[in-house]
């Protein structure tokens, strides 16, 4: 098969008639290398270094670079601190009743704390623990803890479990008590995520309530039932 990029009179004719595509121009490797080096030169060497590498290379920079490095180093340090602070949790931790005040009520300032009071003999509690464990990894800036209810509250009724309290700065900002408030026995992970996001404890990427269709269906059913009952009532009045 003939090379379409070959310099022949026949290929030129075919190109003129649009039968062959335009000839590919060979890439200038030297020009490409120059452009790449120019692009790399626009990036200061210290902008690609770690804090440790900056420390080792201090003698290689002039006074102007050193001033810029100090600003850059401080920026990187603040970013690192912010990241560490944001990712300080990341797991669902077990606590006991005597840790409740320190771990929950007196938690760090402006930190959201979600605590689940549970009993392992209740299946719904195990489901909630499973979901909270996944959410703790997804939202490491929020503190997730769980505690066996008897270690915190004596004689707590089973029909109040699972119980989820949401704290911030020592105040209860949200609470879900019992199976219904927690979302029902078929609770999905996204549904619990939405509930906690509505309180403000986490910043979800969900755009709408996962149960929206079910809620809409229930509202529609209630509305239709109400209209039907009103209609029957009117008919009864007319009959009398």
């Amino acid at each position: 098969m003939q090379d379409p990029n070959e310099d022949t009179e026949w290929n030129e004719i075919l190109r003129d008639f649009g039968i062959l595509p335009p000839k590919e121009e060979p890439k200038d490797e030297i020009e490409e290398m120059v452009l790449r080096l120019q692009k790399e030169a626009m990036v200061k060497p210290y902008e690609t270094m770690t804090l440790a590498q900056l420390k080792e290379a201090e003698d290689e920079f002039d006074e102007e670079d050193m001033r810029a490095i100090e600003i850059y180093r401080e920026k990187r340090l603040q970013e690192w601190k912010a990241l560490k602070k944001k990712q300080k949790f990341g797991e669902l931790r077990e606590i006991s009743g005597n840790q409740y005040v320190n771990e929950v009520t007196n938690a760090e300032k402006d930190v959201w704390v979600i605590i689940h009071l549970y009993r392992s003999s209740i299946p719904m509690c195990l489901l909630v623990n499973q979901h909270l464990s996944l959410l703790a990894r997804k939202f490491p800036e929020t503190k997730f803890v769980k505690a066996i209810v008897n270690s915190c509250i004596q004689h707590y009724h089973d029909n109040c479990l699972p119980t989820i309290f949401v704290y911030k700065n020592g105040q209860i900002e949200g609470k879900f008590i019992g199976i219904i408030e927690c979302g029902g026995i078929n609770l999905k992970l996204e549904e619990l995520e939405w509930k906690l996001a509505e309180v403000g404890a986490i910043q979800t990427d969900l755009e709408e309530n996962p149960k929206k269709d079910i809620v809409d269906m229930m509202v529609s059913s209630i509305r239709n039932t109400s209209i039907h009952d009103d209609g029957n009532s009117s008919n009864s009045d007319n009959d009398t």
Side-chain angles (χ1 to χ4, degrees), residues 117-119 122 149-150 152-165 176-178:
L117 302 180
Y118 75 99
R119 189 168 283 135
I122 297 178
V149 66
N150 288 349
C152 303
I153 308 172
Q154 293 297 319
H155 311 300
Y156 199 67
H157 293 295
D158 282 1
N159 58 7
C160 294
L161 295 175
T163 290
I164 299 173
F165 291 130
F176 306 97
I177 299 174

Side-chain angles (χ1 to χ4, degrees), residues 43-208:
V43 179
K44 293 288 186 181
Y46 55 77
E47 292 181 357
T48 61
M49 291 182 175
T50 64
L51 293 176
Q53 290 171 333
L54 284 173
K55 184 69 177 175
E56 292 177 1
E58 281 183 348
D59 295 338
E60 300 177 13
F61 299 109
D62 58 26
E63 186 176 346
E64 183 180 350
D65 278 336
M66 287 305 298
R67 284 196 297 270
I69 286 172
E70 283 304 316
I71 296 173
Y72 180 69
R73 179 188 283 129
E74 182 62 25
K75 179 183 175 185
R76 290 288 301 274
L77 189 60
Q78 293 304 319
E79 289 174 350
W80 179 79
K81 287 181 178 179
L83 183 63
K84 291 295 287 183
K85 183 178 180 181
K86 188 174 182 181
Q87 297 182 342
K88 65 190 304 180
F89 303 114
E91 63 178 345
L92 176 63
R93 290 177 45 241
E94 181 90 35
I95 66 170
S96 60
N98 57 15
Q99 295 174 294
Y100 196 106
V101 173
N102 286 335
E103 293 284 351
V104 180
T105 311
N106 293 339
E108 298 93 325
K109 187 176 185 296
D110 293 333
V111 169
W112 287 92
V113 183
I114 296 168
I115 179 165
H116 174 213
L117 302 180
Y118 75 99
R119 189 168 283 135
S120 57
S121 60
I122 297 178
M124 179 70 181
C125 289
L126 300 181
L127 177 63
V128 169
N129 276 340
Q130 182 180 354
H131 288 341
L132 290 178
S133 182
L134 294 172
L135 292 175
R137 290 200 288 270
K138 183 175 181 180
F139 302 99
E141 68 278 9
T142 297
K143 188 175 186 178
F144 288 79
V145 294
K146 61 180 179 176
I148 296 175
V149 66
N150 288 349
S151 71
C152 303
I153 308 172
Q154 293 297 319
H155 311 300
Y156 199 67
H157 293 295
D158 282 1
N159 58 7
C160 294
L161 295 175
T163 290
I164 299 173
F165 291 130
V166 181
Y167 280 78
K168 185 179 183 184
N169 295 327
Q171 301 297 316
I172 295 180
E173 300 293 339
K175 57 185 177 181
F176 306 97
I177 299 174
I179 291 176
I180 300 301
E181 287 191 14
C182 284
I185 59 174
N186 295 316
L187 176 69
K188 302 290 191 301
L189 175 65
E190 294 79 9
E191 293 167 1
L192 182 55
E193 179 177 335
W194 184 265
K195 281 179 174 290
L196 297 175
E198 282 189 312
V199 176
I202 56 178
Q203 299 296 318
T204 182
D205 53 4
L206 297 175
E207 295 182 355
E208 62 178 16

Side-chain angles (χ1 to χ4, degrees), residues 33-48 65:
M33 183 177 68
V34 170
L35 290 173
R36 178 171 55 82
L37 291 174
Q38 286 177 341
K39 186 176 181 180
E40 290 177 356
M42 294 173 65
V43 179
K44 293 288 186 181
Y46 55 77
E47 292 181 357
T48 61
D65 278 336

